[in-house]
Structure formats: C-alpha cells, structure tokens
Amino acid sequence: MVKSQICDIVGIKYPIFQGAMAWISDAELAAAVSSAGGLGIIAAGSAPAYYVSEQIRKAKTLTDKPFGVNIMLMSPHAEEIAKVVAEEKVAVVTTGAGNPSKYMAQWTEAGITVIPVVASTGLAKMSAKLGAAAIIAEGCEAGGHIGELTTMALVPQVCDVVDIPVIAAGGIADGRGMAAAYMLGAAGVQIGTRFLVAKECNIHQNYKDKVISARDIDTIATGKRLGHPVRSLKTAFSRDIFSKEYDSSVTNEELESIGVGALRLAVEEGDTKKGCFLAGQVAGLIKKEQTAGEIIEEIIKEAEDILGRR
Ligand code: TUI
C-alpha cells in the first residue's frame, strides 16, 4: 500500500502532490488534482498577492477537497502572499527557493499545515524544529529552480535527520519512480513535469508538445553563474543563456535581463524561440496527454504493483 501518514496529515486519498509550477499551476489544475485524490497546489510564483487570492477563491469553488498554495520565497510579493494564505485559511502551504523560517509561526498559528521544499538537510532540520508538518526533499532532476543534490542522494539523508514525513520530488513521473522513492524512505511524492500534460493544465499546446517529444537529454540547467540554477527544456533561448554564462564579456546584469518574461512567453504564447520551458529530466518519460485523474490512478497502480512484489 502506498497510503501513508501524509494522507491523514493533509486529508488526501493518495500521497501524490502536484508540484507547484510558476505561471502554470492555477486553480483549475490544482482543483483537478485535489478532486482526483492528490494534493493540488497553486503556484504563487512571482505573481502579485491579488492573483493568489483570486486563485484560492476559485479553487474553493472547483473542489471541496484540500489544496495547497506554494510561495516562491524569492518573489517580491512573498511577504504579502504569506498574509493572504493565513487570511484565506488555506489547508497547506509549501514554500520554495528559500528559507521559510520567518513565516513559520504566522502560518502554524493560523492552523496551516506547512510543508517546505528543501534541497539540503540543513533547511530540513530547521523547518522541522519550527513546526513543519512534513518536508518535500527536491533533487536537481526537477524542473525550475534547483539545488545541488540528486533525489537519490538527498531523500535518504533528509529522512535520517527529521522525524516527520518526507515527500520525494525531482525525477519522478511514474509508479517506478514512486516505488523507488518509498525505498529511500519517502512517504509520498511530488510530481510536476507529468502534470504539464494534464488535460486540465492551461498551458500553450506548444509547451505540451515539447514535453511529449522531449528525449532524455533534452533538459539543461542554466543560471549557475548567477547562483540560482534553473532546469528547462533545451531551446534556442536556453542554449543562448548557457553559452553566455561561459562568456566573460557578458555581465551578470545582462544575464539576469535575458530571462525576464521568458516563462510567460513559453506558457501563454508557446514561443519556442524566446520562451523558457521549465521541465524536469523525466520529460523523456512522458508520452501523452491524460486527465489529472488518469495520471494519478496510473501512477498509484504501477507503484502498488511494484511494491506488492517486494
Ligand atoms: O522553487 C522551486 N522551483 C522553482 S521556483 C520557480 S520561479 C523562479 N523564477 C525565476 C527564477 C527562479 C525561480 C521555478 N522553479 N523548487 C523548490 C526548491 N527550493 N528547489 C530548491 C529550493 C531551495 C533552495 C535553497 C530551497 C531552499 C533554499 O534555501 C536557501 C537558504 O536560504 O537556506
């Protein structure tokens, strides 16, 4: 059985979280995942607080199941969004791209289940001490902003330093990945890239097509020189940034400015030249569009078949 203590903590049927994806995971995708028994998560990304309020209210009309909101801590609006989630009494808050310590008391006092995304054991320990209900340990196979360690190396090390459930993220797209995560000590998984091709995912068709046609070696991590590596599909845009990172005549300011607006161009316009298509290394495993419910049921069945054979 893949059911674990995280299902009771969060109030979900299956221990599958939908990874928050900036500009992508809106109320519709989150509600579809939650209605299908997983935990849908609205991504605040770098959007203003009013957008996040709107999405929370919309999700409440679309599902009666619990859902979460992810706060990207590098966002200039993080402080304001931290208040919004408390006011709206969102069931679950996940955080990413930073240290959530200064918000922990505010959220736990509001009765929110707080589950930080970490890329190291240090932040996992600190978050557990401050009242996190669980930890999402995300390896660098993931799409978007990433840390140094792989999921295989990170998850068991995080499991060894906290006594709350650990959710594995990064490099998981099917039941084999889920079963492997359980072998490492995880009590659930977070999956982003596979939900890009969910029928309820409102991204440009070009984005879905690029994920479906991606091969194993078609993602690249750029931004290392700036200290915040980001994994995306190889495109003219990402290859250009990658080469500029090794060009000493290009300043850091110039590098920073190249990325501005590129996520929106990928998601809304499907711009295959100037867009930045965030995706994890598992894109090569993804072959077709399915509903969120079909994706979840398939992964659970595969994982249970494998784990039942132990
Ligand atoms: O947050 C993510 N993935 C993201 S956020 C995002 S939006 C964005 N847009 C432009 C530039 C950068 C981001 C796209 N993808 N994943 C969770 C994650 N968190 N991965 C790694 C971390 C992390 C890194 C350092 C968490 C904490 C951390 O702590 C630093 C500290 O201060 O201790």
Side-chain angles (χ1 to χ4, degrees):
M1 269 292 278
V2 293
K3 239 181 162 357
S4 73
Q5 65 272 41
I6 197 66
C7 296
D8 301 324
I9 292 171
V10 182
I12 50 178
K13 185 173 176 197
Y14 300 126
I16 296 181
F17 291 12
Q18 161 251 310
M21 297 173 281
W23 284 95
I24 297 172
S25 354
D26 56 8
E28 274 177 61
L29 178 62
V33 170
S34 287
S35 293
L39 184 74
I41 301 180
I42 294 167
S46 48
Y50 78 83
Y51 167 84
V52 182
S53 301
E54 260 170 34
Q55 294 299 311
I56 294 168
R57 289 180 190 166
K58 188 168 174 193
K60 285 177 184 167
T61 69
L62 296 174
T63 186
D64 57 359
K65 298 285 189 293
F67 61 87
V69 171
N70 173 268
I71 304 185
M72 206 277 277
L73 295 167
M74 276 163 54
S75 163
H77 309 290
E79 190 106 31
E80 222 182 317
I81 296 167
K83 287 200 198 100
V84 166
V85 293
E87 282 160 14
E88 291 287 340
K89 303 209 178 307
V90 170
V92 179
V93 164
T94 66
T95 61
N99 185 332
S101 296
K102 70 171 179 177
Y103 302 113
M104 292 292 296
Q106 176 185 346
W107 291 331
T108 53
E109 278 159 24
I112 293 174
T113 299
V114 187
I115 310 185
V117 180
V118 308
S120 67
T121 56
L123 190 57
K125 270 196 277 195
M126 189 189 299
S127 305
K129 211 184 273 174
L130 292 172
I135 294 289
I136 300 167
E138 186 186 89
C140 60
E141 299 93 322
H145 177 76
I146 49 175
E148 281 286 334
L149 298 176
T150 60
T151 301
M152 180 82 102
L154 178 67
V155 170
Q157 295 190 71
V158 170
C159 289
D160 281 351
V161 295
V162 298
D163 52 14
I164 50 179
V166 174
I167 308 302
I172 304 166
D174 60 21
R176 293 171 296 180
M178 184 169 193
Y182 273 56
M183 293 293 115
L184 299 175
V189 293
Q190 174 166 282
I191 291 176
T193 304
R194 178 103 183 245
F195 286 112
L196 284 171
V197 300
K199 294 213 165 113
E200 300 88 344
C201 182
N202 295 314
I203 57 177
H204 196 281
Q205 191 61 39
N206 289 355
Y207 202 142
K208 295 190 179 189
D209 292 345
K210 283 189 80 63
V211 171
I212 288 167
S213 62
R215 295 165 305 164
D216 52 352
I217 53 168
D218 284 343
T219 73
I220 187 169
T222 57
K224 285 186 182 143
R225 187 173 126 189
L226 299 171
H228 48 85
V230 169
R231 182 176 304 287
S232 65
L233 294 174
K234 285 179 185 167
T235 58
F237 168 84
S238 60
R239 287 177 211 269
D240 180 49
I241 297 198
F242 191 76
S243 65
K244 287 197 166 96
E245 284 188 75
Y246 290 92
D247 180 345
S248 57
S249 71
V250 178
T251 65
N252 284 355
E253 289 69 33
E254 281 173 86
L255 268 182
E256 290 275 9
S257 69
I258 301 171
V260 175
L263 293 183
R264 191 197 69 78
L265 281 178
V267 173
E268 290 185 351
E269 325 252 324
D271 186 332
T272 54
K273 300 248 160 39
K274 295 194 220 88
C276 176
F277 296 79
L278 300 183
Q281 290 183 332
V282 287
L285 282 171
I286 295 164
K287 301 290 176 233
K288 58 177 190 287
E289 261 188 84
Q290 289 170 298
T291 65
E294 287 164 350
I295 292 171
I296 290 174
E297 294 290 341
E298 191 173 291
I299 295 172
I300 293 291
K301 184 176 182 319
E302 287 167 358
E304 292 204 323
D305 283 351
I306 295 167
L307 294 168
R309 277 188 243 132
R310 272 182 294 174

